mmCIF file of all heavy atoms in Angstrom:
data_model
loop_
_atom_site.group_PDB
_atom_site.id
_atom_site.type_symbol
_atom_site.label_atom_id
_atom_site.label_comp_id
_atom_site.label_asym_id
_atom_site.label_seq_id
_atom_site.Cartn_x
_atom_site.Cartn_y
_atom_site.Cartn_z
ATOM 1 N N ALA A 1 75.309 77.733 122.410
ATOM 2 C CA ALA A 1 74.167 77.330 121.582
ATOM 3 C C ALA A 1 74.355 75.957 120.991
ATOM 4 O O ALA A 1 73.322 75.312 120.663
ATOM 5 C CB ALA A 1 73.972 78.366 120.422
ATOM 6 N N CYS A 2 75.549 75.557 120.940
ATOM 7 C CA CYS A 2 75.910 74.160 120.526
ATOM 8 C C CYS A 2 76.068 73.214 121.604
ATOM 9 O O CYS A 2 76.538 72.066 121.367
ATOM 10 C CB CYS A 2 77.116 74.261 119.585
ATOM 11 S SG CYS A 2 76.930 75.193 118.074
ATOM 12 N N GLY A 3 75.708 73.601 122.800
ATOM 13 C CA GLY A 3 75.869 72.748 123.968
ATOM 14 C C GLY A 3 77.165 72.540 124.435
ATOM 15 O O GLY A 3 77.492 71.578 125.136
ATOM 16 N N LEU A 4 78.126 73.474 124.119
ATOM 17 C CA LEU A 4 79.511 73.308 124.549
ATOM 18 C C LEU A 4 79.844 74.338 125.647
ATOM 19 O O LEU A 4 79.534 75.480 125.612
ATOM 20 C CB LEU A 4 80.443 73.601 123.290
ATOM 21 C CG LEU A 4 80.172 72.713 122.156
ATOM 22 C CD1 LEU A 4 80.915 73.221 120.926
ATOM 23 C CD2 LEU A 4 80.537 71.262 122.402
ATOM 24 N N ALA A 5 80.516 73.827 126.696
ATOM 25 C CA ALA A 5 80.950 74.667 127.840
ATOM 26 C C ALA A 5 81.904 75.710 127.328
ATOM 27 O O ALA A 5 82.700 75.435 126.351
ATOM 28 C CB ALA A 5 81.554 73.929 128.878
ATOM 29 N N CYS A 6 81.925 76.962 127.809
ATOM 30 C CA CYS A 6 82.869 77.983 127.472
ATOM 31 C C CYS A 6 82.869 79.090 128.571
ATOM 32 O O CYS A 6 81.807 79.627 128.907
ATOM 33 C CB CYS A 6 82.333 78.589 126.109
ATOM 34 S SG CYS A 6 83.591 79.663 125.384
ATOM 35 N N PRO A 7 84.049 79.304 128.995
ATOM 36 C CA PRO A 7 84.189 80.431 129.950
ATOM 37 C C PRO A 7 83.953 81.781 129.313
ATOM 38 O O PRO A 7 83.830 81.811 128.076
ATOM 39 C CB PRO A 7 85.617 80.322 130.536
ATOM 40 C CG PRO A 7 86.325 79.560 129.527
ATOM 41 C CD PRO A 7 85.362 78.634 128.802
ATOM 42 N N ARG A 8 83.948 82.846 130.014
ATOM 43 C CA ARG A 8 83.568 84.190 129.572
ATOM 44 C C ARG A 8 84.643 84.897 128.908
ATOM 45 O O ARG A 8 84.328 85.490 127.819
ATOM 46 C CB ARG A 8 82.918 84.958 130.638
ATOM 47 C CG ARG A 8 82.541 86.397 130.386
ATOM 48 C CD ARG A 8 81.421 86.422 129.265
ATOM 49 N NE ARG A 8 81.011 87.721 128.958
ATOM 50 C CZ ARG A 8 81.566 88.543 128.057
ATOM 51 N NH1 ARG A 8 82.687 88.177 127.391
ATOM 52 N NH2 ARG A 8 81.192 89.765 127.881
ATOM 53 N N ASP A 9 85.836 85.028 129.418
ATOM 54 C CA ASP A 9 86.802 85.947 128.897
ATOM 55 C C ASP A 9 87.799 85.195 127.986
ATOM 56 O O ASP A 9 87.952 83.971 128.094
ATOM 57 C CB ASP A 9 87.624 86.621 130.038
ATOM 58 C CG ASP A 9 86.692 87.600 130.902
ATOM 59 O OD1 ASP A 9 85.717 87.920 130.357
ATOM 60 O OD2 ASP A 9 87.089 87.902 132.080
ATOM 61 N N SER A 10 88.396 85.969 127.061
ATOM 62 C CA SER A 10 89.289 85.285 126.030
ATOM 63 C C SER A 10 90.506 84.531 126.644
ATOM 64 O O SER A 10 90.797 83.523 126.151
ATOM 65 C CB SER A 10 89.717 86.282 124.986
ATOM 66 O OG SER A 10 90.544 87.338 125.608
ATOM 67 N N ASP A 11 91.101 85.090 127.748
ATOM 68 C CA ASP A 11 92.202 84.488 128.291
ATOM 69 C C ASP A 11 91.727 83.064 128.932
ATOM 70 O O ASP A 11 92.456 82.041 128.957
ATOM 71 C CB ASP A 11 92.912 85.312 129.357
ATOM 72 C CG ASP A 11 92.056 85.612 130.519
ATOM 73 O OD1 ASP A 11 90.815 86.050 130.327
ATOM 74 O OD2 ASP A 11 92.499 85.475 131.675
ATOM 75 N N MET A 12 90.495 83.023 129.506
ATOM 76 C CA MET A 12 89.954 81.883 130.046
ATOM 77 C C MET A 12 89.713 80.741 129.003
ATOM 78 O O MET A 12 90.008 79.635 129.105
ATOM 79 C CB MET A 12 88.623 82.052 130.834
ATOM 80 C CG MET A 12 88.715 83.038 131.949
ATOM 81 S SD MET A 12 87.134 83.365 132.622
ATOM 82 C CE MET A 12 87.355 84.517 133.944
ATOM 83 N N GLN A 13 89.153 81.293 127.821
ATOM 84 C CA GLN A 13 88.839 80.447 126.754
ATOM 85 C C GLN A 13 90.053 79.806 126.171
ATOM 86 O O GLN A 13 90.130 78.639 125.826
ATOM 87 C CB GLN A 13 88.040 81.214 125.663
ATOM 88 C CG GLN A 13 86.667 81.626 126.051
ATOM 89 C CD GLN A 13 86.072 82.682 125.138
ATOM 90 O OE1 GLN A 13 86.670 83.088 124.128
ATOM 91 N NE2 GLN A 13 84.905 83.097 125.406
ATOM 92 N N GLU A 14 91.154 80.705 126.058
ATOM 93 C CA GLU A 14 92.428 80.263 125.432
ATOM 94 C C GLU A 14 92.997 79.036 126.374
ATOM 95 O O GLU A 14 93.613 78.132 125.839
ATOM 96 C CB GLU A 14 93.388 81.356 125.422
ATOM 97 C CG GLU A 14 94.722 81.064 124.731
ATOM 98 C CD GLU A 14 95.632 82.217 124.593
ATOM 99 O OE1 GLU A 14 95.391 83.235 125.325
ATOM 100 O OE2 GLU A 14 96.543 82.216 123.827
ATOM 101 N N GLY A 15 92.749 79.180 127.654
ATOM 102 C CA GLY A 15 93.406 78.174 128.577
ATOM 103 C C GLY A 15 92.405 76.935 128.805
ATOM 104 O O GLY A 15 92.920 75.856 129.234
ATOM 105 N N ALA A 16 91.107 77.047 128.514
ATOM 106 C CA ALA A 16 90.129 75.997 128.949
ATOM 107 C C ALA A 16 89.371 75.368 127.806
ATOM 108 O O ALA A 16 88.989 74.142 128.055
ATOM 109 C CB ALA A 16 89.109 76.665 129.784
ATOM 110 N N VAL A 17 89.298 75.902 126.573
ATOM 111 C CA VAL A 17 88.477 75.232 125.546
ATOM 112 C C VAL A 17 89.318 74.012 125.046
ATOM 113 O O VAL A 17 90.506 74.083 124.751
ATOM 114 C CB VAL A 17 88.369 76.131 124.409
ATOM 115 C CG1 VAL A 17 87.741 75.377 123.181
ATOM 116 C CG2 VAL A 17 87.330 77.272 124.776
ATOM 117 N N PRO A 18 88.747 72.863 125.178
ATOM 118 C CA PRO A 18 89.467 71.631 124.769
ATOM 119 C C PRO A 18 89.658 71.540 123.202
ATOM 120 O O PRO A 18 88.752 71.999 122.542
ATOM 121 C CB PRO A 18 88.570 70.529 125.290
ATOM 122 C CG PRO A 18 87.192 71.150 125.355
ATOM 123 C CD PRO A 18 87.409 72.544 125.658
ATOM 124 N N GLY A 19 90.725 70.923 122.846
ATOM 125 C CA GLY A 19 90.949 70.783 121.469
ATOM 126 C C GLY A 19 92.452 70.654 121.068
ATOM 127 O O GLY A 19 93.344 70.740 121.954
ATOM 128 N N GLU A 20 92.719 70.605 119.791
ATOM 129 C CA GLU A 20 94.056 70.590 119.329
ATOM 130 C C GLU A 20 94.655 71.908 119.256
ATOM 131 O O GLU A 20 94.044 72.904 118.684
ATOM 132 C CB GLU A 20 94.010 69.874 117.908
ATOM 133 C CG GLU A 20 95.405 69.696 117.226
ATOM 134 C CD GLU A 20 95.344 69.203 115.832
ATOM 135 O OE1 GLU A 20 94.160 68.921 115.341
ATOM 136 O OE2 GLU A 20 96.452 69.039 115.162
ATOM 137 N N ARG A 21 95.930 71.998 119.655
ATOM 138 C CA ARG A 21 96.624 73.289 119.633
ATOM 139 C C ARG A 21 97.438 73.359 118.354
ATOM 140 O O ARG A 21 98.347 72.471 118.098
ATOM 141 C CB ARG A 21 97.535 73.415 120.794
ATOM 142 C CG ARG A 21 96.770 73.290 122.178
ATOM 143 C CD ARG A 21 96.143 74.580 122.591
ATOM 144 N NE ARG A 21 95.114 74.257 123.611
ATOM 145 C CZ ARG A 21 94.689 75.282 124.479
ATOM 146 N NH1 ARG A 21 95.132 76.526 124.342
ATOM 147 N NH2 ARG A 21 93.666 75.026 125.313
ATOM 148 N N LEU A 22 97.176 74.287 117.551
ATOM 149 C CA LEU A 22 97.876 74.376 116.296
ATOM 150 C C LEU A 22 99.029 75.547 116.389
ATOM 151 O O LEU A 22 98.945 76.375 117.275
ATOM 152 C CB LEU A 22 96.928 74.832 115.158
ATOM 153 C CG LEU A 22 95.714 73.959 115.004
ATOM 154 C CD1 LEU A 22 94.928 74.483 113.737
ATOM 155 C CD2 LEU A 22 96.092 72.501 114.676
ATOM 156 N N ASP A 23 99.973 75.408 115.517
ATOM 157 C CA ASP A 23 101.151 76.331 115.541
ATOM 158 C C ASP A 23 100.679 77.675 115.013
ATOM 159 O O ASP A 23 100.277 77.790 113.796
ATOM 160 C CB ASP A 23 102.260 75.727 114.696
ATOM 161 C CG ASP A 23 103.550 76.657 114.647
ATOM 162 O OD1 ASP A 23 103.521 77.694 115.414
ATOM 163 O OD2 ASP A 23 104.439 76.325 113.927
ATOM 164 N N PRO A 24 100.716 78.734 115.801
ATOM 165 C CA PRO A 24 100.294 80.112 115.294
ATOM 166 C C PRO A 24 101.218 80.617 114.279
ATOM 167 O O PRO A 24 100.842 81.550 113.534
ATOM 168 C CB PRO A 24 100.309 80.883 116.601
ATOM 169 C CG PRO A 24 101.272 80.218 117.550
ATOM 170 C CD PRO A 24 101.100 78.760 117.209
ATOM 171 N N ALA A 25 102.455 80.031 114.214
ATOM 172 C CA ALA A 25 103.365 80.527 113.100
ATOM 173 C C ALA A 25 103.220 79.690 111.783
ATOM 174 O O ALA A 25 103.919 79.911 110.829
ATOM 175 C CB ALA A 25 104.763 80.438 113.574
ATOM 176 N N GLY A 26 102.374 78.666 111.831
ATOM 177 C CA GLY A 26 102.203 77.841 110.712
ATOM 178 C C GLY A 26 101.378 78.521 109.557
ATOM 179 O O GLY A 26 100.893 79.588 109.624
ATOM 180 N N PRO A 27 101.321 77.833 108.434
ATOM 181 C CA PRO A 27 100.574 78.403 107.236
ATOM 182 C C PRO A 27 99.019 78.540 107.571
ATOM 183 O O PRO A 27 98.486 77.770 108.230
ATOM 184 C CB PRO A 27 100.841 77.374 106.131
ATOM 185 C CG PRO A 27 101.011 76.088 106.846
ATOM 186 C CD PRO A 27 101.760 76.462 108.196
ATOM 187 N N LEU A 28 98.479 79.560 106.917
ATOM 188 C CA LEU A 28 97.034 79.738 107.137
ATOM 189 C C LEU A 28 96.215 78.688 106.475
ATOM 190 O O LEU A 28 95.117 78.441 106.779
ATOM 191 C CB LEU A 28 96.621 81.070 106.488
ATOM 192 C CG LEU A 28 97.213 82.335 107.171
ATOM 193 C CD1 LEU A 28 96.680 83.615 106.634
ATOM 194 C CD2 LEU A 28 96.944 82.376 108.606
ATOM 195 N N SER A 29 96.856 77.911 105.558
ATOM 196 C CA SER A 29 96.176 76.709 104.945
ATOM 197 C C SER A 29 95.699 75.688 105.931
ATOM 198 O O SER A 29 94.933 74.797 105.604
ATOM 199 C CB SER A 29 97.003 76.211 103.765
ATOM 200 O OG SER A 29 98.248 75.804 104.283
ATOM 201 N N GLN A 30 96.359 75.683 107.066
ATOM 202 C CA GLN A 30 96.100 74.690 108.135
ATOM 203 C C GLN A 30 94.782 75.011 108.775
ATOM 204 O O GLN A 30 94.131 74.153 109.360
ATOM 205 C CB GLN A 30 97.151 74.662 109.211
ATOM 206 C CG GLN A 30 97.194 75.911 110.162
ATOM 207 C CD GLN A 30 98.149 75.814 111.241
ATOM 208 O OE1 GLN A 30 98.419 74.813 111.789
ATOM 209 N NE2 GLN A 30 98.834 77.023 111.543
ATOM 210 N N LEU A 31 94.220 76.219 108.650
ATOM 211 C CA LEU A 31 92.993 76.632 109.296
ATOM 212 C C LEU A 31 91.753 76.080 108.643
ATOM 213 O O LEU A 31 91.686 75.858 107.401
ATOM 214 C CB LEU A 31 92.928 78.174 109.382
ATOM 215 C CG LEU A 31 94.063 78.866 110.105
ATOM 216 C CD1 LEU A 31 93.902 80.356 110.092
ATOM 217 C CD2 LEU A 31 94.213 78.308 111.565
ATOM 218 N N ARG A 32 90.714 75.774 109.549
ATOM 219 C CA ARG A 32 89.448 75.396 109.021
ATOM 220 C C ARG A 32 88.300 76.079 109.859
ATOM 221 O O ARG A 32 88.549 76.506 111.027
ATOM 222 C CB ARG A 32 89.323 73.861 108.912
ATOM 223 C CG ARG A 32 89.208 73.213 110.195
ATOM 224 C CD ARG A 32 89.273 71.662 110.030
ATOM 225 N NE ARG A 32 88.965 70.929 111.231
ATOM 226 C CZ ARG A 32 89.377 69.681 111.442
ATOM 227 N NH1 ARG A 32 90.081 69.077 110.519
ATOM 228 N NH2 ARG A 32 89.041 69.036 112.602
ATOM 229 N N ARG A 33 87.172 75.944 109.339
ATOM 230 C CA ARG A 33 85.993 76.553 109.989
ATOM 231 C C ARG A 33 85.768 76.183 111.413
ATOM 232 O O ARG A 33 85.812 74.936 111.745
ATOM 233 C CB ARG A 33 84.615 76.203 109.112
ATOM 234 C CG ARG A 33 83.443 76.825 109.560
ATOM 235 C CD ARG A 33 82.278 76.409 108.633
ATOM 236 N NE ARG A 33 80.988 76.963 109.007
ATOM 237 C CZ ARG A 33 80.466 78.159 108.568
ATOM 238 N NH1 ARG A 33 81.203 78.917 107.806
ATOM 239 N NH2 ARG A 33 79.252 78.575 108.961
#
């Protein structure tokens, strides 16, 4: 809806969506909308 490409399944999305990779063990305060 925002004009952004996106594959269908979550594993595909995890591997293909472009962007910054954050540390999953980091503090939740790093997260944003």
Side-chain angles (χ1 to χ4, degrees):
C2 295
L4 303 169
C6 189
R8 176 60 177 87
D9 294 341
S10 62
D11 65 313
M12 299 177 182
Q13 295 169 358
E14 187 176 17
V17 171
E20 181 184 357
R21 306 279 162 157
L22 305 182
D23 181 4
L28 295 184
S29 59
Q30 70 177 323
L31 301 178
R32 70 186 188 203
R33 187 176 176 90

